[in-house]
Amino acid sequence: MSVIKLAVIPGDGIGKEVVPASLKVLDVLAELHGGLRFEYKQYPWSCEYYLEHGVMMPEDGIEQLKDSDAVFLGAVGNPNLVADHISLWGLLIKIRREFEQVINVRPARSMKGVTSPLANPKDFDLIVVRENSEGEYSESGGRIHSGEDEIVIQNAVFTRKATERAMRYAFELAKKRRSKVTSATKSNGIVHSMPFWDEVFHQVAAEYPGIQTESRHIDALSAFFVTRPHEYDVIVASNLFGDILTDIGAAIMGSIGIAPAANININGKYPSMFEPVHGSAPDIVGKGIANPIGQLWTASMMLDHFGYQDLGKNLLQAIQSTLEKGIKTPDLGGRSKMDEVIEEVINQLKNM
């Protein structure tokens, strides 16, 4: 019997609803597999925890998570309780940085049963590989002076090591898909970091002669995500550019509520973390209408990560079949409750 130890952090808002529901689905998958079991350790870290303790996680929180095989996260943030920069940097980004989760992976694809806002989405299926440790989200910088003399400096930090590993991850992923990698750049406007990014991309691309490559400026690429997303396979991007593109990817799918994400540790020293892209949606908490698809798709990515690709594929197919039957929450134009979606996903799995 193989055992996967999950550190479960439901977090805030609807995270406390969709995470427990998704664990039920994971248990069903493990039962159907017959040789797999999940062990869960729950952590109550959230904005409510912050109000009580003054921190988003205890001082030894990272140490507590180290023994897990992965972190299964719900949603972080409730600006009505705690400022976003405190909640994110105190929990989500802290885990990403200290566990060296240097790659962020977010897929986007047209889903039957979900209406895309695009007039003709043409069955797009793309995946963004985002550098997840530095770039524009570096903490380097500062503020001096005040009043009209106030100066704010925010430095973007790009290292060859981090840039190369994000690009190599993208190329290796493309080898398993449709053998095309697009680089998101802005070297016609950002004069130091982006020309460097382009140079490294061309150098790494030379190691993969069988992969088709192209570079697109981020402004044009953002537009192309809307006008012709079907042309893209794997996109590699810096921290900020990847963040922007993946939100567009979620939007063209039809709802940010179905978008998943994986924060990958590639050196094996620490666990990776899996989370949906959606926020905590405090306005619908307790109404039973939270969309569990993002959390479930995140679970599918986690299964793939652990080498259970068949289970991951089955879960994604069960999600797709459920949506096609019209069993979906109101944010997708449906009338179903979250529990009804979960029940149908489980039914689909048991009948495969």
Side-chain angles (χ1 to χ4, degrees):
M1 177 72 70
S2 297
V3 178
I4 295 177
K5 295 185 293 183
L6 290 186
V8 179
I9 308 176
D12 294 297
I14 63 170
K16 297 177 182 179
E17 300 174 9
V18 297
V19 168
S22 298
L23 297 184
K24 293 179 183 178
V25 176
L26 283 175
D27 286 337
V28 170
L29 282 163
E31 181 182 347
L32 292 171
H33 181 274
L36 175 65
R37 180 168 59 86
F38 292 97
E39 284 186 1
Y40 308 119
K41 189 166 184 180
Q42 303 268 351
Y43 296 88
W45 305 334
S46 63
C47 289
E48 291 178 353
Y49 184 92
Y50 179 89
L51 293 180
E52 185 175 349
H53 299 278
V55 290
M56 289 297 294
M57 65 162 64
E59 187 175 341
D60 66 341
I62 293 294
E63 192 66 31
Q64 292 185 44
L65 299 175
K66 277 185 179 178
D67 290 336
S68 62
D69 296 316
V71 178
F72 195 56
L73 179 68
V76 177
N78 185 339
N80 295 324
L81 300 178
V82 180
D84 279 341
H85 71 278
I86 294 176
S87 60
L88 290 176
W89 282 89
L91 184 58
L92 174 64
I93 297 177
K94 184 177 179 66
I95 294 172
R96 284 180 179 174
R97 296 290 169 90
E98 298 203 26
F99 279 168
E100 299 178 19
Q101 295 168 348
V102 297
I103 304 293
N104 181 275
V105 181
R106 296 186 183 181
R109 57 187 290 186
S110 55
M111 302 280 281
K112 294 179 180 177
V114 178
T115 302
S116 169
L118 303 181
N120 187 7
K122 294 185 179 179
D123 293 329
F124 66 88
D125 180 1
L126 58 86
I127 190 162
V128 176
V129 174
R130 167 185 167 191
E131 199 292 311
N132 207 35
S133 66
E134 52 177 37
E136 303 89 349
Y137 290 173
S138 165
E139 297 176 72
S140 175
R143 301 171 70 156
I144 58 174
H145 308 315
S146 61
E148 65 179 12
D149 294 321
E150 187 170 15
I151 299 173
V152 179
I153 297 174
Q154 177 71 53
N155 295 316
V157 176
F158 286 76
T159 65
R160 177 170 290 274
K161 178 181 179 180
T163 302
E164 283 189 355
R165 69 190 173 200
M167 291 175 177
R168 286 201 171 89
Y169 192 98
F171 275 92
E172 291 296 326
L173 185 58
K175 286 164 63 176
K176 304 172 186 176
R177 290 173 51 92
R178 303 193 305 277
S179 298
K180 180 180 178 181
V181 177
T182 301
S183 168
T185 185
K186 191 56 182 171
S187 50
N188 64 345
I190 302 176
V191 299
H192 296 299
S193 60
M194 285 294 104
F196 167 77
W197 176 275
D198 292 350
E199 291 168 15
V200 176
F201 182 71
H202 292 312
Q203 291 164 7
V204 173
E207 302 173 19
Y208 295 87
I211 304 294
Q212 179 185 354
T213 63
E214 63 178 4
S215 292
R216 291 284 182 264
H217 293 304
I218 183 62
D219 43 353
L221 184 55
S222 297
F224 293 156
F225 260 41
V226 175
T227 59
R228 51 193 200 213
H230 58 281
E231 294 185 2
Y232 295 97
D233 181 20
V234 177
I235 301 94
V236 63
S238 66
N239 214 335
L240 173 61
F241 291 176
D243 200 2
I244 293 168
L245 290 173
T246 51
D247 272 13
I248 298 174
I252 62 176
M253 281 197 292
S255 172
I256 200 169
I258 65 175
N263 299 282
I264 305 297
N265 170 277
I266 61 176
N267 62 23
K269 293 181 181 179
Y270 306 106
S272 297
M273 178 166 62
F274 299 85
E275 52 163 334
V277 176
H278 65 67
S280 61
D283 56 316
I284 61 169
V285 169
K287 297 182 180 180
I289 58 172
N291 189 344
I293 299 301
Q295 196 77 49
L296 291 174
W297 194 348
T298 295
S300 173
M301 294 183 72
M302 183 176 69
L303 290 166
D304 291 341
H305 174 74
F306 284 120
Y308 294 97
Q309 285 88 357
D310 287 345
L311 292 183
K313 182 179 179 180
N314 287 347
L315 177 52
L316 196 54
Q317 181 56 54
I319 292 169
Q320 179 68 85
S321 298
T322 298
L323 294 172
E324 284 188 77
K325 289 184 67 174
I327 301 175
K328 50 192 178 182
T329 46
D331 61 301
L332 297 179
R335 298 182 178 181
S336 301
K337 298 284 191 177
M338 180 193 71
D339 288 344
E340 293 173 313
V341 175
I342 294 294
E343 181 181 350
E344 181 58 29
V345 168
I346 290 174
N347 180 60
Q348 291 289 334
L349 288 170
K350 289 183 175 180
N351 285 285
M352 284 184 177

